[in-house]
Amino acid sequence: MVSTSSIDINQTKQLILNQARSIASVFMSARSGKFDKDNDQWSNLSLRVRVTEDGTLVIEWRYRFWFTNYKTNKKSMRANYIKKGKGFSYNKRILLNYCKEWEKDEVIRTEELLSKLREAWDICKNIEKENKRLYNILKEYQLPVDKIFTDSIEL
C-alpha cells in the first residue's frame, strides 16, 4: 500500500499533464494535413489539453467545421467544444455522433485513457485540499506542523 505522504503531488500532476498532452499530440498528429473532400480520412474531432488559472486540468473534445466569410469569400476552420456533462468522461454516444466510421474505436480508447487522467488529477487536487485543511487544524492546536509537513507540500 502506498502512503499519500510518499507521493509528490506536484510531480504526479506534472506526469498526468504530460501524459494527457502526449495522448492529444498522438491523436492530433494522425489527423494533420490538408482537407480533401475526396479523402474521408479527415477527422472533424480535435483535442485540447490545458490547465486553468485555478489549477483545473481541462481535456476537451472539439468538433471542427468549415465556414465561409461572405465579406472576404474565404473559407476557414472553426471548432466548437463538445459538452462533457458530469463525471470524468464524455458520453460515448455523443462522441460517436461526431466521429467518422474509421476512427470510432480510437476515439473511445482515447477517451477512456483521458477520463482516467481527469480522475487522477481530481484526486491530486483533493489531496492538496485535504493537506491544507490538515495543516490548518494542526497549526490551530499549536502542533509542530513544520516537522510534519515537508517543503514539497504547497500551502
Side-chain angles (χ1 to χ4, degrees):
M1 179 171 213
V2 177
S3 138
T4 56
S5 62
S6 66
I7 296 174
D8 182 350
I9 299 300
N10 291 329
Q11 182 181 8
T12 305
K13 286 171 61 177
Q14 190 62 47
L15 288 170
I16 293 168
L17 179 61
N18 290 345
Q19 186 65 31
R21 286 181 174 157
S22 173
I23 290 169
S25 177
V26 168
F27 182 84
M28 291 308 298
S29 67
R31 286 151 179 79
S32 63
K34 295 192 175 204
F35 178 72
D36 182 5
K37 289 182 182 177
D38 299 329
N39 182 2
D40 195 33
Q41 296 300 301
W42 173 262
S43 174
N44 293 325
L45 290 177
S46 68
L47 275 170
R48 181 179 182 193
V49 177
R50 64 190 174 99
V51 177
T52 62
E53 288 180 7
D54 69 347
T56 302
L57 176 68
V58 180
I59 306 170
E60 301 166 310
W61 287 96
R62 300 185 300 177
Y63 178 74
R64 301 184 293 183
F65 62 95
W66 293 90
F67 84 101
T68 303
N69 182 333
Y70 292 106
K71 291 181 181 178
T72 62
N73 204 22
K74 290 185 178 181
K75 288 189 174 188
S76 58
M77 186 179 62
R78 296 287 169 109
N80 284 340
Y81 293 101
I82 300 171
K83 187 175 179 180
K84 184 174 75 62
K86 296 184 180 182
F88 299 110
S89 64
Y90 279 76
N91 183 318
K92 288 181 177 76
R93 188 180 48 193
I94 291 172
L95 265 182
L96 291 176
N97 286 339
Y98 292 99
C99 291
K100 300 281 176 104
E101 194 63 40
W102 58 270
E103 66 180 345
K104 288 185 177 186
D105 291 338
E106 182 184 5
V107 168
I108 294 303
R109 282 193 315 271
T110 302
E111 175 53 26
E112 287 171 354
L113 291 171
L114 295 175
S115 69
K116 292 298 180 190
L117 294 177
R118 287 184 200 102
E119 184 176 9
W121 186 277
D122 188 62
I123 290 169
C124 288
K125 288 216 32 159
N126 287 334
I127 290 171
E128 285 178 328
K129 187 171 94 175
E130 292 301 319
N131 275 343
K132 288 178 186 177
R133 190 170 148 238
L134 176 61
Y135 178 85
N136 290 333
I137 288 171
L138 295 176
K139 192 174 179 181
E140 181 182 333
Y141 289 104
Q142 299 175 350
L143 294 172
V145 293
D146 296 334
K147 292 181 182 177
I148 298 170
F149 287 86
T150 64
D151 294 335
S152 65
I153 298 174
E154 289 184 20
L155 299 171

